[in-house]
Amino acid sequence: MLTLLPLAATAADANPSTGVSQVAAKAQAHKPGKATNKGRKGTRAAKVKVTATLAALPPIVQPGTSPADPSNQASLVATFSPVAPGQRVTLERRTARGWKLVDTATEDAWGTATFAAGPGRYRAATTASGLTWTSGTVTANRWTPEFEDTFSGTALDATVWNDQKRERESVYAPRTCARVDPSARSVGGGVLRLGIGVDPTMGGATCSYTSNGTAGTQQYLVNSQVSTENTRFFQHGIVAARIKPQRAKGMHTGFWMLPAGTTYTDGVPSAGTEIDIMEFFGENGRGNEAVGAHVHYYEAGWEKVSHGDLFPATRQVLGKNRSWWDEFHVFSVEWTPTAYIFRVDGREYYRETAAVSQAAQYLVLSNLTSDYELANLTSDELGDAAQVDWVRVYDATSIQSARVTRGRKAA
């Protein structure tokens, strides 16, 4: 079982007495904002008030169209509010001779700029109309994962993963027409492919199901669902996976965690919850597909209590004219004793302080066809699949340092 170890990054302005995963005492959780029509301009008599934040994270920023090896360098995420997309952001490293410029980036629609950084003490800044706004400082070290799988080779590592036994059922999930089978997934080209398919044992028979009072029919199907339920358990830390989800609707990609033994204690989320780090439900035809994150537990009588949603702000990490199924992105949760912090490519989009599990939990990767989405599944989509490039778990937490400033005259 993993528990929290000493921090892998420290903030100059942090208050250790807060129990920090958590965040330096001055830090403010960033939520994607709107660009101000004033931008960041003005004179010393009329300055824009800006919150500049720099967060030191494990290497959980890695968008791209192809599989790639994970890094061990820190991800530094600079965030400015109000946002001003297109602004130049600089990263400086402290040296014996003072602050040295080491990298530049452009602020995105989220108000962020990201950097890969080696060990050192850093700050970020942006300048406009002769004024500079500078973040607090963070100290970044190399990050070493406690668990990693990069899905090299041509087979799933059976010493780590198992195909979960999930037969057809119409009460809890429900997946009346589908069961989990290893034939639906494969490993090759550096990725784990999570697919669905027609159940070869049913001879083409048709399944009847009812969802939300509406009856339907579908072929009997096999789904993908692999887990570490027999081998690896984690309790707090940063859990991340680089994933390119499927395009097809009628199925959903999932990266999640379940309590050891897959058991719950009625009304006691601290004894274990379902942590949905990432869910994606396919193309909706409107071009506004969003990623979801949820936390579930149960009251007596199997009554589900849920937190979370789909989050449209996640789309801001997508490349120009691209959709989720065109790119890999890193989806993560920072799970502390007091909160879940959900991120995509290092950008925080959801923080939940209710229903925080204190129990050991295992990893799950899946592509499933639940009854509520079967009506959207067509036979030509059965060949689609999600791709998982790598999975990592870090037994540590992030640090961020924020500073609210009205700007100072640029040097």
Side-chain angles (χ1 to χ4, degrees):
M1 179 190 303
L2 293 183
T3 53
L4 287 173
L5 293 178
L7 297 174
T10 58
D13 297 350
N15 179 358
S17 67
T18 60
V20 227
S21 81
Q22 280 131 340
V23 179
K26 295 182 181 179
Q28 299 178 10
H30 173 68
K31 295 181 180 179
K34 295 181 180 180
T36 172
N37 57 10
K38 295 181 181 179
R40 297 197 192 114
K41 59 185 179 181
T43 65
R44 292 176 62 85
K47 300 172 185 176
V48 177
K49 184 178 180 181
V50 173
T51 300
T53 304
L54 185 62
L57 300 165
I60 56 172
V61 180
Q62 198 180 25
T65 58
S66 302
D69 292 334
S71 170
N72 288 325
Q73 288 189 307
S75 291
L76 299 183
V77 180
T79 304
F80 300 91
S81 179
V83 307
Q87 289 281 63
R88 181 174 180 262
V89 178
T90 60
L91 182 70
E92 297 178 324
R93 183 176 182 272
R94 185 72 176 177
T95 70
R97 296 184 177 182
W99 290 99
K100 178 183 178 181
L101 176 66
V102 292
D103 205 353
T104 63
T106 301
E107 186 177 331
D108 62 18
W110 208 300
T112 65
T114 63
F115 305 90
R121 184 180 174 196
Y122 294 90
R123 70 183 186 185
T126 185
T127 301
S129 300
L131 295 178
T132 296
W133 294 266
T134 305
S135 73
T137 63
V138 295
T139 299
N141 295 322
R142 287 178 62 85
W143 292 79
T144 301
E146 296 293 327
F147 169 80
E148 175 183 275
D149 196 336
T150 58
F151 303 107
S152 58
T154 58
L156 196 65
D157 187 346
T159 68
V160 174
W161 304 95
N162 69 287
D163 295 280
Q164 290 197 279
K165 187 174 178 60
R166 297 291 186 269
E167 299 296 340
R168 306 178 195 98
E169 57 89 11
S170 57
V171 177
Y172 300 111
R175 285 184 282 276
T176 306
C177 301
R179 63 182 179 85
V180 171
D181 190 85
S183 65
R185 52 85 178 161
S186 62
V187 175
V191 299
L192 166 64
R193 289 178 55 86
L194 299 167
I196 66 167
V198 175
D199 191 333
T201 68
M202 298 304 294
T206 299
C207 168
S208 298
Y209 68 93
T210 301
S211 180
N212 298 320
T214 301
T217 60
Q218 181 58 262
Q219 300 176 84
Y220 282 98
L221 301 168
V222 288
N223 289 181
S224 302
Q225 184 167 323
V226 300
S227 80
T228 65
E229 67 177 329
N230 299 325
T231 63
R232 303 287 193 282
F233 300 92
F234 309 96
Q235 185 178 355
H236 307 137
I238 297 177
V239 183
R242 189 170 188 256
I243 299 172
K244 182 194 290 187
Q246 91 294 341
R247 180 175 185 171
K249 56 187 181 299
M251 63 184 80
H252 63 280
T253 301
F255 173 39
W256 38 310
M257 302 183 77
L258 288 172
T262 321
T263 57
Y264 300 88
T265 301
D266 290 347
V268 185
S270 61
T273 62
E274 177 182 323
I275 308 169
D276 295 336
I277 303 167
M278 172 271 191
E279 290 185 293
F280 184 72
F281 295 86
E283 184 177 20
N284 63 19
R286 299 185 296 275
N288 62 353
E289 300 86 359
V291 168
H294 299 85
V295 179
H296 308 290
Y297 68 98
Y298 295 89
E299 298 285 0
W302 206 245
E303 181 181 349
K304 181 184 284 188
V305 179
S306 298
H307 302 274
D309 208 335
L310 299 177
F311 292 89
T314 57
R315 292 186 55 81
Q316 294 183 97
V317 301
L318 293 174
K320 186 177 181 180
N321 299 321
R322 288 187 176 151
S323 299
W324 293 106
W325 50 87
D326 296 321
E327 301 177 319
F328 288 92
H329 293 276
V330 180
F331 302 94
S332 66
V333 65
E334 181 177 347
W335 168 26
T336 80
T338 58
Y340 307 102
I341 304 167
F342 295 89
R343 298 182 176 97
V344 54
D345 283 329
R347 284 80 163 180
E348 177 184 338
Y349 64 90
Y350 173 41
R351 182 177 296 223
E352 182 58 68
T353 57
V356 179
S357 172
Q358 309 300 332
Q361 307 216 175
Y362 63 86
L363 306 176
V364 184
L365 294 162
S366 63
N367 192 358
L368 303 172
T369 56
S370 297
D371 289 359
Y372 60 78
E373 57 194 337
L374 279 179
N376 296 319
L377 180 63
T378 56
S379 59
D380 62 315
E381 295 176 317
L382 294 178
D384 205 350
Q387 299 179 48
V388 184
D389 188 15
W390 51 256
V391 177
R392 279 181 159 186
V393 179
Y394 299 90
D395 190 18
T397 52
S398 70
I399 283 294
Q400 64 186 38
S401 183
R403 175 180 292 171
V404 180
T405 173
R406 291 186 180 274
R408 59 180 172 79
K409 191 173 182 179

